[in-house]
Amino acid sequence: MLEYVNWFRHSTPYINQHRDCTFVLMLPGEAMVHANFNNIIHDIMLLSSLGVRLVLVHGSRPQIEERLAARGVQSRYHNDLRVTDLDTLGCVIDAVGSLRIAIEAQLCTQQSGSRLRVVGGNLVTAKPIGVVDGVDFHHTGEVRRIDRKAIARHLDEQNVVLLSSIGYSPTGEAFNLACEDVATSVAVALNADKLILFGEDAGIRNEQGELLRELKPTRAAPLLQQLGTSLPGNLLQAACKASNAGVRRSHIVSFADDGALLTELFTRDGGGTLVSQEAFEQVRGATIDDVSGLLELLRPLEEAGILVRRSREVLETEIGQFTLIERDGRIIGCAALYPLEGSSAAELACVAIDPTYRQGGRGDQLLQHIESQARSLKIDTLFVLTTRTAHWFRERGFVPSSVERLPAKRAALYNFQRNSKVFEKAL
């Protein structure tokens, strides 16, 4: 029970952060036949109840294949893209229509205490792909335009917008679209806060099978080549396209894992792969807006006597001395550099890392940043005073020193009651 309470408390910032945001969720046809789909529906209803503006885009590839097989129609592909002739289009319309009814029915259940209004319509204008390499793709198309104003109006009225992988031309024709194309185009048109793409796996894995928690589009080329036109490859391609077009964050999560969506959205580390131009975790200088976060990080260490207690007023005055590690908007590490007046030395102080993140080399990252900053200020000696972490500093080139070695003004402020050990490092 306590674990649940703690999780709920830590999710509060994300609940506030996501309220009134626009999320585009893409559910491939494979997700809708999986045993976990009912749980995904419940999680979608929860997001709506928390004030998230939702656009759902669903695919239908396996359902189309089933109908083609049942009718004895041969699937045709060129460059890994389906050729949609009239017989195939009939199967596409049948599959999409059946799936839409099933999704609407599930979203209209009142198990959560509220009934969602689901809307759709001819909100996606399509154009034919045409003839490529001499192959006529017939009714296979691509997105031409998204009716952004109409979708935004529905979202303003607290409706969930449900879109399929069918688009319509101004001449009244229907075209079979890739659901990734629809989802990405909608996210870009709406300037969505997030594009969430569901796949079978937890996210994108590297060649060693390790889950990549964060990925920038500029680093994705080798993975895209490796994954090809598989579902993970298509999802990663869509995420990179959205990111390059201005969508701040795209998430790839599993439709097979119960709670994957909530874990990705309401925990600091998530559970899938985040594709973003921005760094999920970054080292930066502190600002006055960071004081509350710093107090939260430092308080347990101050109470344990590891760090000297600093009041809010002191932190506000000295905030310019601090360097932070920020992870998804939360401060998980800090260090401060205090140049010592009348000398070419400085003091490294207040080095702290959130206990959850102490195994990732973040202390070394902060130290390197501080040393680089000190060198730019023409500082040639770095002092540190510590009661508990002497070995950590010694392992990083600091050598035992003494109070007498400190510049006079700093030595005069030495707290003999704390009896901190003094170390120094030549830069």
Side-chain angles (χ1 to χ4, degrees):
M1 177 60 72
L2 183 59
E3 182 180 353
Y4 167 76
V5 171
N6 286 332
W7 179 89
F8 197 69
R9 285 171 178 162
H10 285 113
S11 69
T12 302
Y14 297 99
I15 293 173
N16 294 326
Q17 181 181 329
H18 297 332
R19 186 176 292 115
D20 296 325
C21 288
T22 300
F23 294 178
V24 177
L25 279 62
M26 192 219 80
L27 291 158
E30 292 85 349
M32 282 166 279
V33 294
H34 195 276
N36 190 50
F37 186 62
N38 284 337
N39 295 325
I40 295 175
I41 289 292
H42 290 159
D43 293 345
I44 289 171
M45 297 174 78
L46 173 60
L47 289 182
S48 180
S49 71
L50 293 174
V52 179
R53 296 152 56 94
L54 295 172
V55 179
L56 308 183
V57 179
H58 74 88
S60 54
R61 289 189 184 101
Q63 292 81 2
I64 294 171
E65 291 296 336
E66 286 179 7
R67 284 160 174 77
L68 289 172
R71 297 185 187 183
V73 179
Q74 183 69 39
S75 294
R76 290 181 57 211
Y77 290 88
H78 180 69
N79 292 339
D80 296 308
L81 193 62
R82 185 190 298 280
V83 176
T84 310
D85 56 21
L86 281 176
D87 289 337
T88 302
L89 182 62
C91 294
V92 170
I93 293 172
D94 185 12
V96 168
S98 298
L99 285 171
R100 180 180 184 86
I101 291 171
I103 296 170
E104 286 181 343
Q106 288 184 278
L107 288 173
C108 285
T109 60
Q110 300 187 46
Q111 295 177 1
S112 63
S114 61
R115 182 175 180 272
L116 298 185
R117 292 194 304 271
V118 183
V119 301
N122 56 341
L123 302 170
V124 180
T125 301
K127 61 182 179 181
I129 287 180
V131 179
V132 180
D133 299 330
V135 176
D136 189 348
F137 278 88
H138 298 283
H139 289 273
T140 298
E142 56 189 1
V143 175
R144 178 178 179 180
R145 186 175 62 85
I146 300 296
D147 194 340
R148 179 186 58 80
K149 290 183 179 179
I151 294 175
R153 186 167 59 249
H154 287 309
L155 295 175
D156 290 341
E157 294 172 355
Q158 299 182 343
N159 298 320
V160 174
V161 177
L162 178 61
L163 302 175
S164 70
S165 53
I166 290 182
Y168 307 93
S169 73
T171 57
E173 295 176 285
F175 289 93
N176 179 26
L177 310 175
C179 60
E180 295 89 351
D181 184 20
V182 177
T184 303
S185 299
V186 171
V188 172
L190 294 177
N191 193 24
D193 298 279
K194 291 183 184 292
L195 170 63
I196 301 171
L197 304 156
F198 284 85
E200 189 169 7
D201 202 355
I204 302 300
R205 298 185 181 274
N206 60 19
E207 292 183 356
Q208 291 73 41
E210 300 166 330
L211 180 64
L212 300 173
R213 295 291 188 181
E214 180 186 3
L215 186 62
K216 289 190 175 184
T218 52
R219 302 288 183 88
L223 289 166
L224 288 170
Q225 187 173 6
Q226 171 193 330
L227 295 169
T229 57
S230 63
L231 179 56
N234 290 337
L235 297 179
L236 180 56
Q237 182 74 51
C240 291
K241 180 180 177 183
S243 181
N244 289 330
V247 177
R248 280 192 62 227
R249 292 188 170 187
S250 296
H251 304 259
I252 301 174
V253 299
S254 172
F255 60 69
D257 295 340
D258 187 12
L261 177 61
L262 300 184
T263 300
E264 182 70 7
L265 293 177
F266 295 101
T267 64
R268 198 186 310 170
D269 295 326
T273 298
L274 167 67
V275 179
S276 174
Q277 300 281 11
E278 301 175 353
F280 182 62
E281 182 174 309
Q282 61 177 327
V283 178
R284 63 171 178 82
T287 70
I288 195 67
D289 294 330
D290 298 312
V291 171
S292 294
L294 273 174
L295 285 169
E296 183 180 348
L297 173 67
L298 299 176
R299 189 176 297 115
L301 296 172
E302 293 172 350
E303 291 173 351
I306 297 172
L307 294 178
V308 175
R309 188 176 296 274
R310 286 171 169 81
S311 67
R312 175 179 286 272
E313 291 73 19
V314 169
L315 277 177
E316 288 177 353
T317 302
E318 299 179 350
I319 195 66
Q321 315 301 128
F322 279 80
T323 296
L324 309 177
I325 298 180
E326 182 184 59
R327 183 177 179 85
D328 197 24
R330 186 182 179 89
I331 298 170
I332 64 167
C334 72
L337 179 68
Y338 294 92
L340 299 176
E341 188 179 350
S343 73
S344 59
E347 181 181 356
L348 168 62
C350 209
V351 180
I353 302 292
D354 186 302
T356 309
Y357 298 97
R358 286 180 182 167
Q359 304 303 316
R362 293 176 176 85
D364 292 293
Q365 192 177 6
L366 276 173
L367 179 58
Q368 291 171 10
H369 194 279
I370 290 289
E371 289 181 356
S372 176
Q373 183 182 354
R375 291 188 184 96
S376 70
L377 296 174
K378 308 299 182 184
I379 290 168
D380 55 29
T381 305
L382 205 57
F383 286 96
V384 65
L385 282 69
T386 180
T387 57
R388 305 280 188 90
T389 54
H391 281 279
W392 189 87
F393 287 104
R394 293 196 67 171
E395 290 166 4
R396 286 152 181 82
F398 285 81
V399 297
S401 186
S402 64
V403 177
E404 292 73 24
R405 286 275 300 163
L406 291 170
K409 289 188 177 180
R410 179 62 184 90
L413 298 174
Y414 181 81
N415 187 337
F416 285 94
Q417 188 174 356
R418 277 183 62 82
N419 195 29
S420 300
K421 294 185 177 181
V422 181
F423 294 88
E424 65 178 274
K425 181 179 183 179
L427 298 179

